[in-house]
Amino acid sequence: MSADPAQLPDYAATLTAFHAAFRRELRRAVRAVPLPLGAAVLDVPCGDGFYTALLARRMYPFGRVAAADLSDAYLAAARETVGRAGAVAAVDFVKADAYHLPFDDGTFDLAWCAQSFISLDDPVSALAEMRRVVRPGGRVAVLEDDSFHHVMVNWPAELEVEVQRAAAEASRERYGSRSALSPARRMRQWFLDAKLTPTGRKTIAADRQAPFGPAVRRFLALHLRETREFLTGHLAPHHRAALGCATDSADPDSVLNRADATVTSLTTLFVARC
Ligand SMILES: C[S@@+](CC[C@H](N)C(=O)[O-])C[C@H]1O[C@@H](n2cnc3c(N)ncnc32)[C@H](O)[C@@H]1O
């Protein structure tokens, strides 16, 4: 079955563009996970299969990977991504709820969970379920970010302060919490609550500067449009106008066009023992 983009969530295009823009650094995160030869790995939720393909490539030829997600459209997208990835370990695609995984206790050596705690609103239960399906001594690895540091562009500092304030407000309105968009800062506590033993933490920085290549430009354009839409109603008119100019691809002063534009993206890998 081919993936139907209309069935994917609103954020799907931006997330896929993020993978393409920062592929090099994200692949480094996957390589940093401790994995024995021939390991069995669970990628949950797998989304578009970006990490499934990297994990399956890393596990080739002796390991095996299960890619689980609740969305049929995302599972179809993941199959396509893995199909294009070349030589990879065997991959099973499984429609499954992250809170009730259809696997026996101790099936896997590693459960991998990337950028999904915005969707999984009971993180401790989801992590406890990952722990259940990993063997004792195996690992749970989580790749997460904190939206306050996830994508930093060098627009004026006073605009940054307003954007961050508005983001906390918009987050409370949409998700009922000012910190819903910052799972990375709570991950260690969630591990402890899920009876996992934190063993490692590594923040991966990706730096890009103008002129941006097409993948970074596409990601930034989508991300900045999303930011503008998310913050509408939470900014004073003059700050809204400033954000509009700073993010408008037709404006020469936009971060998409300025010769001195830079972007830094921080993502953190958290590893825990079961
Ligand atoms: C933000 S995406 C991240 C996907 C992927 N890990 C990545 O980094 O690209 C969140 C994913 O969670 C899936 N999802 C949401 N709730 C779920 C649940 N209860 N069980 C399994 N998957 C779920 C969505 O379908 C989506 O694929």
Side-chain angles (χ1 to χ4, degrees):
M1 183 176 70
S2 184
D4 176 359
Q7 301 300 315
L8 294 173
D10 294 347
Y11 59 75
T14 309
L15 188 55
T16 294
F18 170 75
H19 298 151
F22 302 114
R23 181 181 177 84
R24 197 169 62 233
E25 289 81 3
L26 298 174
R27 192 171 47 200
R28 211 184 300 144
V30 170
R31 287 196 184 135
V33 177
L35 269 175
L37 191 72
V41 176
L42 171 66
D43 179 12
V44 63
C46 66
D48 69 3
F50 172 77
Y51 296 103
T52 314
L54 292 178
L55 289 162
R57 202 156 170 74
R58 187 170 162 203
M59 297 320 299
Y60 178 78
F62 300 115
R64 64 188 176 84
V65 178
D69 204 289
L70 208 47
S71 154
D72 288 318
Y74 255 145
L75 283 168
R79 272 181 209 279
E80 288 178 7
T81 306
V82 172
R84 289 191 300 267
V88 292
V91 181
D92 288 326
F93 297 90
V94 183
K95 182 168 181 169
D97 184 347
Y99 299 108
H100 306 282
L101 293 167
F103 305 109
D104 291 339
D105 295 5
T107 301
F108 299 98
D109 299 288
L110 170 80
W112 166 272
C113 178
Q115 292 184 308
S116 289
F117 285 106
I118 185 72
S119 305
L120 302 173
D121 56 10
D122 184 353
V124 176
S125 298
L127 287 167
E129 182 64 351
M130 289 175 215
R131 176 173 55 77
R132 182 187 69 75
V133 300
V134 171
R135 65 171 168 79
R139 297 288 191 271
V140 170
V142 172
L143 193 68
E144 268 301 351
D145 55 75
D146 178 331
S147 75
F148 298 102
H149 307 130
H150 185 39
V151 180
M152 294 172 284
V153 291
N154 63 335
W155 51 32
E158 55 277 20
L159 179 59
E160 180 72 17
V161 170
E162 278 309 306
V163 162
Q164 300 297 7
R165 185 204 52 73
E169 218 178 271
S171 165
R172 189 178 47 195
E173 185 180 281
R174 185 178 296 183
Y175 304 104
S177 152
R178 291 171 78 90
S179 56
L181 297 177
S182 37
R185 55 184 79 185
R186 291 182 291 168
M187 194 54 60
R188 191 176 167 85
Q189 187 60 50
W190 290 343
F191 272 167
L192 296 171
D193 291 348
K195 302 197 168 22
L196 287 156
T197 307
T199 56
R201 180 180 193 280
K202 181 182 174 69
T203 295
I204 291 135
D207 275 314
R208 301 288 186 273
Q209 54 191 354
F212 299 125
V216 173
R217 214 181 141 74
R218 176 169 163 70
F219 165 67
L220 266 186
L222 289 167
H223 170 77
L224 294 174
R225 190 180 68 195
E226 256 180 25
T227 302
R228 248 183 357 244
E229 289 170 2
F230 185 52
L231 302 186
T232 299
H234 298 279
L235 287 169
H238 61 290
H239 289 130
R240 200 176 317 139
L243 180 64
C245 294
T247 59
D248 179 355
S249 61
D251 190 315
D253 285 333
S254 147
V255 289
L256 289 160
N257 298 323
R258 271 176 26 211
D260 70 336
T262 62
V263 55
T264 300
S265 172
L266 298 187
T267 311
T268 302
L269 173 71
F270 299 86
V271 180
R273 194 177 55 243
C274 298

